[in-house]
């Protein structure tokens, strides 16, 4: 396994993102991205009046 | 000072903002803050003299960045420039150039440099369950960052209902154990509630701090009284229709077209404190009820649970 670079936080985006990159021989050998925030809007929506759903899901991202 | 003021107006001119237009904005802002017209030139002077800039460290937790968008884009043409005239934005993840470790270093350095003097603006709520596993930045849980940074600030402004009261991530069943930042950290915050809050109320709060050296008077929920002192209902331009029993019963109906009262479609205006009817959004263009949609009560605590279902009458 080569050198591993981690960038967290990734800025200039909405939300909280981590990128990990594995470098081998000067090239990217592998990469991972992971969202670092979970609010659970899908879980929160369960059992609610469907007419309200638009107001909840539009808050996924305000950008 | 005079030279700086002159340069400021020259800069505005180059951006196509006349002195007259700028003074109009300052007048509206002064009125929003509940101050007399005598303060208008003083408000203008705060914008024009850079030595009075406030350092702001802006933290993002469990949020959608809609509150940042609200502040940065929509107050007035080019008003992002106005905000940046009065604010030294030392840390803001959405607009800063640095990322990763450099961003973290910038946060630490800014907190150290402006210790006890900066205004901490918090957007989003703080995950408390599972050791903060629902939200991390640079490997640190939101709660650790909040507990580290917030107590070092001169003032903490919670922007938006998430930071104030938990907001949407804290809606039932609140999977991540999200809390408003004041509750999570255990300190008093200025709560600019709303989803999103009106940017003029943010500028008004910062202006109050710069102009009078103190935070504005707050209600029992921590919200500035100048903005949250009256209900939507009491300031609503459709109020006379309510008094006259003229209601919209269905979207798209004749009554809706007439601009009748939205109470029967579930309007939460009678229970919601905010100044939306007066200052409106997008440079005073419009606001939800003006566009024909009932108020959803977004500046009240736990409105995602207490005000829903939104379309059922109160």
């Amino acid at each position: 396994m080569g050198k591993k670079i981690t960038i967290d936080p990734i800025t200039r985006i909405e939300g909280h993102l981590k990128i990990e990159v594995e470098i081998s021989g000067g090239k990217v050998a592998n990469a991972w991205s992971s969202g670092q925030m979970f609010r659970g809007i899908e879980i929160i929506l369960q059992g609610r009046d469907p007419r309200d759903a638009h107001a909840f899901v539009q808050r996924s991202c305000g950008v | 000072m005079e030279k700086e003021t002159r340069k400021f107006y020259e800069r505005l001119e180059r951006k196509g903002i006349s002195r007259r237009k700028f003074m109009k904005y300052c007048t509206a802002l002064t009125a929003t803050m509940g101050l007399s017209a005598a303060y208008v030139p003083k408000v203008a002077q705060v914008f024009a003299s850079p030595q009075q800039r406030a350092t702001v460290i802006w933290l993002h937790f469990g949020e959608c960045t809609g509150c940042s968008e609200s502040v940065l884009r929509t107050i007035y043409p080019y008003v992002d420039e106005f905000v940046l005239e009065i604010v030294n934005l030392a840390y803001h993840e959405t607009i800063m150039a640095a990322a990763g470790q450099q961003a973290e270093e910038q946060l630490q350095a800014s907190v150290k440099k402006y210790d006890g003097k900066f205004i901490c603006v918090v957007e989003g709520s703080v995950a408390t369950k599972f050791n903060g596993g629902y939200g991390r930045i640079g490997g640190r849980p939101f709660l650790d960052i909040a507990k580290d940074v917030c107590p070092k600030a001169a003032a903490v402004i919670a922007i938006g209902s998430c930071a104030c009261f938990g907001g949407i991530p804290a809606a039932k069943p609140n999977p991540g154990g999200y809390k408003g930042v004041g509750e999570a950290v255990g300190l008093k915050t200025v709560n600019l509630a709303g989803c999103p809050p009106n940017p003029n109320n943010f500028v008004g709060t910062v202006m109050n701090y710069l102009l009078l050296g103190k935070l504005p008077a707050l209600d029992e929920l921590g919200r500035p009284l100048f903005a949250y002192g009256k209900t939507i209902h009491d300031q609503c331009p459709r109020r006379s229709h309510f008094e006259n029993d003229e209601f919209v019963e269905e979207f798209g109906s004749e009554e809706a077209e007439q601009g009748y009262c939205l109470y029967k479609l579930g309007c939460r205006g009678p229970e919601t404190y905010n100044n939306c009817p007066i200052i409106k959004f997008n440079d005073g263009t419009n606001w939800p009820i003006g566009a024909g949609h009932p108020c959803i009560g977004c500046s009240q605590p736990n409105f995602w649970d207490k005000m829903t279902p939104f379309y059922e009458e109160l």
Side-chain angles (χ1 to χ4, degrees):
Chain A
M1 187 175 141
K3 194 185 167 197
K4 199 168 180 184
I5 300 169
T6 304
I7 307 171
D8 177 17
I10 297 288
T11 52
R12 281 155 283 143
I13 56 154
E14 185 281 313
H16 303 281
L17 186 71
K18 174 163 90 173
I19 298 285
E20 293 166 290
V21 182
E22 199 180 285
I23 310 280
S24 186
K27 285 184 178 166
V28 174
N30 217 337
W32 298 264
S33 88
S34 47
Q36 293 292 298
M37 172 185 68
F38 184 69
R39 289 166 294 174
I41 290 176
E42 301 89 337
I43 299 165
I44 290 164
L45 273 173
Q46 286 173 12
R48 291 184 185 263
D49 189 319
R51 293 172 298 171
D52 293 347
H54 73 93
F56 283 79
V57 299
Q58 70 181 200
R59 265 79 177 178
S60 299
C61 178
V63 175
Chain B
M1 184 95 115
E2 267 174 35
K3 199 177 158 200
E4 277 165 7
T5 306
R6 204 174 60 241
K7 274 188 174 168
F8 171 77
Y9 285 110
E10 280 170 11
R11 266 203 318 280
L12 284 187
E13 206 68 53
R14 276 202 300 277
K15 287 171 198 157
I17 305 168
S18 66
R19 196 184 177 108
R20 186 188 169 86
K21 215 165 163 186
F22 171 66
M23 291 313 287
K24 201 175 147 196
Y25 171 74
C26 290
T27 306
L29 183 64
T30 309
T32 302
M33 290 162 67
L35 298 176
S36 79
Y39 277 96
V40 175
K42 291 176 186 163
V43 166
Q45 194 54 41
V46 171
F47 278 114
S49 60
Q51 63 265 46
Q52 292 189 67
R53 290 167 89 201
T55 297
V56 167
I57 294 176
W58 191 300
L59 301 176
H60 288 92
F61 295 133
E63 43 80 45
C64 75
T65 317
C67 301
S68 281
E69 287 289 338
S70 168
V71 167
L72 293 170
R73 291 187 194 275
T74 61
I75 307 171
Y76 195 77
Y78 312 104
V79 91
D80 52 332
E81 305 282 351
F82 286 154
V83 171
L84 298 177
E85 296 288 352
I86 60 165
V87 160
N88 165 32
L89 204 50
Y91 185 86
H92 188 301
E93 281 163 24
T94 319
I95 57 174
M96 68 196 293
Q101 203 184 336
Q102 286 175 327
E104 288 304 286
E105 281 165 8
Q106 194 170 326
L107 174 62
Q108 295 307 332
S110 305
V111 170
K112 205 172 161 194
K113 186 174 173 191
Y114 302 105
D115 194 356
K117 297 189 200 89
F118 67 92
I119 295 177
C120 184
V121 177
V122 180
E123 183 175 349
S125 48
V126 181
T128 61
K129 279 209 282 199
F130 314 108
N131 294 321
Y134 271 49
R136 289 170 191 267
I137 301 164
R140 290 170 81 198
F142 294 160
L143 186 59
D144 286 12
I145 299 169
K147 279 184 172 166
D148 177 26
V149 176
C150 295
K152 292 173 184 155
V156 180
I157 298 176
I159 192 157
S161 291
C162 295
C164 297
F165 311 122
I168 194 165
K172 279 175 194 157
N174 192 356
Y178 279 94
K179 288 178 181 171
V181 68
E183 193 192 345
V185 179
L187 49 77
K188 220 171 137 47
T189 53
V190 177
N191 290 333
L192 299 178
C195 193
N198 195 296
N200 275 327
N201 295 336
F202 171 70
V203 178
T205 302
V206 175
M207 181 57 72
N208 196 99
Y209 184 74
L210 293 173
L211 189 64
L212 308 172
K214 60 178 183 183
L215 294 167
L218 308 175
D219 70 6
E220 72 277 10
L221 294 169
R223 302 175 300 188
L225 280 167
F226 75 77
Y228 302 89
K230 290 180 188 160
T231 63
I232 297 287
H233 195 53
D234 284 345
Q235 305 166 90
C236 186
R238 299 190 181 199
R239 178 62 183 262
S240 60
H241 293 300
F242 176 84
E243 305 297 346
N244 294 336
D245 271 340
E246 293 166 345
F247 295 103
V248 181
E249 310 243 2
E250 202 185 339
F251 288 113
S253 63
E254 177 83 7
E255 291 75 18
E257 195 112 334
Q258 294 290 325
Y260 283 2
C261 176
L262 298 161
Y263 183 80
K264 290 190 175 174
L265 287 180
C267 186
R268 302 300 190 243
E271 293 191 346
T272 306
Y273 290 80
N274 211 330
N275 57 0
C276 319
I278 309 299
I279 58 176
K280 304 180 183 173
F281 286 83
N282 299 331
D283 185 22
T285 304
N286 212 344
W287 66 298
I289 289 175
H293 193 280
C295 168
I296 62 169
C298 75
S299 48
Q300 295 306 112
N302 309 319
F303 77 99
W304 293 105
D305 294 324
K306 287 188 179 162
M307 301 293 186
T308 48
F310 290 131
Y311 300 99
E312 294 296 326
E313 191 180 325
L314 267 176

